[in-house]
Amino acid sequence: LWFGETMESNPVNKKPTMIEASKKVMGLMEKITAREIIVRLKESGRKELPTPRQLSQKFRSDPDIESIKSKKTKEPTVFRRLV
């Protein structure tokens, strides 16, 4: 690192955001719930975990992920990564 340069400004050592990390644990065209994504993040050693509600809000507005609403209100929403 150069003088005055921090780890955050160095793109080589940048940790992926919670949403980027969540997308990486999803397989392509795999149907998965928010809770299953959180379990995978925890198993991969991620210390900072999103809540299922945070994931759902981000994924619903993400064009790379399709959200499939459940028929019943009590069942979780299923997400599928398209890209």
Side-chain angles (χ1 to χ4, degrees), residues 6-71:
T6 61
M7 290 293 282
E8 291 82 31
S9 64
N10 190 353
V12 175
N13 296 328
K14 187 183 112 188
K15 185 172 81 170
T17 64
M18 284 192 296
I19 302 305
E20 290 171 353
S22 300
K23 284 183 184 181
K24 287 180 182 177
V25 297
M26 294 173 72
L28 192 61
M29 301 302 285
E30 175 187 19
K31 292 182 179 178
I32 189 169
T33 64
R35 289 201 185 276
E36 292 169 328
I37 293 170
I38 292 169
V39 167
R40 288 185 186 181
L41 286 170
K42 196 170 192 172
E43 287 173 351
S44 67
R46 187 88 178 176
K47 292 185 176 100
E48 200 177 320
L49 299 172
T51 63
R53 175 167 268 162
Q54 284 176 322
L55 271 181
S56 296
Q57 286 175 340
K58 294 285 186 182
F59 282 175
R60 281 193 192 109
S61 62
D62 194 327
D64 295 342
I65 296 175
E66 176 188 17
S67 60
I68 304 162
K69 282 295 266 181
S70 59
K71 303 266 189 254

